[in-house]
Amino acid sequence: MKTPKVKICGITREEDARACLVAGAQWIGINLYEPSPRSVSLLRAEELFKALPLGMRVLVDVAPDLDKLESCRLAGFDVFQLHFNLDLSAEIIRAWSELVGRKNLWLAPKLPPQEAFPVNLLEFSDTIVLDAYAKDAFGGTGRTGNWHLFKGLKLAHPDTNWVLAGGLKPDNLLEAVRSTGAEIVDLNSGIETGPGIKDPVLLQSAFDILL
């Protein structure tokens, strides 16, 4: 099994950011979506940047307008993980891609169980995040995603970077990677003691499992 790269999402504290770096995370996600219990302000994000090297800072937001996205880009985010409902217009997604660049844009469509994956999204981004579906939330719910769907999409579109998210924790991480072939995993609530508060023991355990 190839060791997957790891993104840790929902960082709110410098000590957690530093622990993620020591453990071996490749990306650190900071949530600016205000309804989320892990949300921080852009000003707070800029403070957290001091603990994070360039290239690792991931904005996590839900359907931001272009002004907000540009503010985040100028503030120092490197990667832009944007969640959205499937009825969002392709013109908006195209504008995101043009603003930050398709290699820096991680698209995270909210995909109901009965819906087919919209393959037109691959036109705008090199990276797709498949998170667990929740009617009233965008990620961070602790629910497990659709591993079968993930594996099928990864096999069908091997030139795309597929990020497995949703309910991943030390107890199921190895099974998830083996079942899906995921090369990038996104950890959040499964290594927390509370929203935005990472548990150093669970964090290190997750990385130990993947080695």
Side-chain angles (χ1 to χ4, degrees):
M1 184 186 75
K2 182 179 179 181
T3 301
K5 296 180 179 180
V6 179
K7 170 180 166 276
I8 305 296
C9 200
I11 292 295
T12 62
R13 307 187 303 170
E14 284 83 356
E15 57 265 41
D16 291 343
R18 288 189 288 267
C20 291
L21 297 180
V22 170
Q26 279 78 27
W27 299 279
I28 306 295
I30 301 175
N31 194 320
L32 267 62
Y33 178 54
E34 291 183 2
S36 169
R38 299 172 183 84
S39 176
V40 300
S41 67
L42 182 55
L43 181 61
R44 177 63 180 139
E46 291 179 285
E47 294 173 348
L48 291 167
F49 287 168
K50 297 173 184 177
L52 297 174
L54 290 172
M56 303 182 68
R57 306 162 178 175
V58 182
L59 167 69
V60 180
D61 205 349
V62 176
D65 61 38
L66 291 179
D67 288 340
K68 182 178 182 182
L69 190 59
E70 174 68 353
S71 296
C72 291
R73 187 185 69 84
L74 294 174
F77 279 104
D78 306 296
V79 177
F80 304 83
Q81 178 180 319
L82 305 184
H83 295 248
F84 54 96
N85 287 310
L86 293 185
D87 58 359
L88 187 71
S89 74
E91 287 74 18
I92 292 175
I93 299 172
R94 185 185 303 276
W96 291 345
S97 183
E98 292 174 351
L99 179 60
V100 304
R102 60 174 294 131
K103 69 181 180 63
N104 303 317
L105 179 61
W106 291 18
L107 292 177
K110 186 172 182 177
L111 190 64
Q114 70 276 14
E115 295 285 345
F117 178 81
V119 294
N120 66 300
L121 295 180
L122 305 184
E123 174 187 349
F124 307 116
S125 173
D126 293 341
T127 304
I128 302 293
V129 181
L130 279 188
D131 206 342
Y133 175 77
K135 183 177 180 180
D136 55 353
F138 290 88
T141 63
R143 300 178 187 177
T144 304
N146 187 332
W147 296 353
H148 179 73
L149 173 65
F150 183 97
K151 182 178 181 179
L153 288 169
K154 186 174 183 299
L155 290 172
H157 306 281
D159 293 333
T160 297
N161 302 314
W162 296 93
V163 182
L164 182 64
L168 298 178
K169 52 189 176 180
D171 290 349
N172 66 8
L173 188 54
L174 189 59
E175 179 188 0
V177 173
R178 286 176 172 170
S179 298
T180 63
E183 296 177 4
I184 306 173
V185 295
D186 191 343
L187 306 180
N188 192 351
S189 61
I191 55 167
E192 289 183 333
T193 58
I197 308 300
K198 306 308 180 190
D199 184 317
V201 175
L202 291 175
L203 172 66
Q204 190 58 55
S205 177
F207 278 90
D208 289 345
I209 286 167
L210 294 174
L211 294 178

